[in-house]
Amino acid sequence: CMPLWMHPAVSADFATPSQISSFDELWPFPLVNEPFGNIEAVTEDNLAKVVAIFRDPRQRAISQIKAMGSEPADLPAAARLYGACMTQLILGGACSRTEEDGSPLLLNLTREEAVEAVAGRIRRFGFVGVAEEWELSVCLFHRMFGGKCSPVEFRGSLDTHDDDARYGFDDFTPLDHNAYITARQIFGANLQRYGVTKEACRRHLCPEAARFFE
């Protein structure tokens, strides 16, 4: 089957990669802004076939501001629009939909229920990576599922923006932050479980792409 990626505002990418052996097969990927629950191949019984790469939602908000040529003062608007996008898509809703009061549309769930439901689904994904740790994510993927690393797989790295005070992050904790924290915990646990470090990747897990782990 052809891998299918969802791209909720570059916050998380989802795939059903039962037959892939390389991230190169997923790049460039088709952008499909469809609700998670409406993708036929991704059902509750098929969550173990999902590959997800999560990006810090704060970084995503800054990227959106810079892409629009906006000022840091526009962060609240970007947060309202994208701050629950991952959560909504994983729940089976649509990105950026809101209630009449401007709060995220969460399919009749409270925020606490939504956080718990999303975390439960993420824990059942077959693979969880982190965009800010792209190189280690690629290496971990191969350690878990086999196949040789290829240098072309490492062109998916994203720039990281400074989280300085002018963006007001002391007052900005989007709903997607909870999903990201869950993803980071799973990612960190799997790095330890499979013995994936930069040194291990450079020496024997991904020797074909050793320069990316210097």
Side-chain angles (χ1 to χ4, degrees), residues 16 25 103 123 153 155 177 204-205:
T16 54
E25 297 178 40
S103 61
R123 293 187 185 103
E153 296 177 90
R155 60 181 173 179
H177 183 69
H204 61 89
L205 295 178

Side-chain angles (χ1 to χ4, degrees), residues 114-176:
V115 167
E116 184 177 352
V118 167
R121 277 198 155 192
I122 294 173
R123 293 187 185 103
R124 294 172 62 191
F125 288 172
F127 178 81
V128 173
V130 174
E132 288 77 18
E133 301 284 356
W134 181 266
E135 290 80 8
L136 283 176
S137 294
V138 173
C139 185
L140 176 62
F141 178 87
H142 285 289
R143 175 69 178 86
M144 293 174 64
F145 301 107
K148 292 185 178 181
C149 295
S150 170
V152 74
E153 296 177 90
F154 295 88
R155 60 181 173 179
S157 299
L158 296 170
D159 292 333
T160 299
H161 308 293
D162 293 333
D163 294 357
D164 55 35
R166 70 195 187 101
Y167 287 102
F169 281 125
D170 288 342
D171 301 319
F172 172 50
T173 305
L175 190 59
D176 281 352

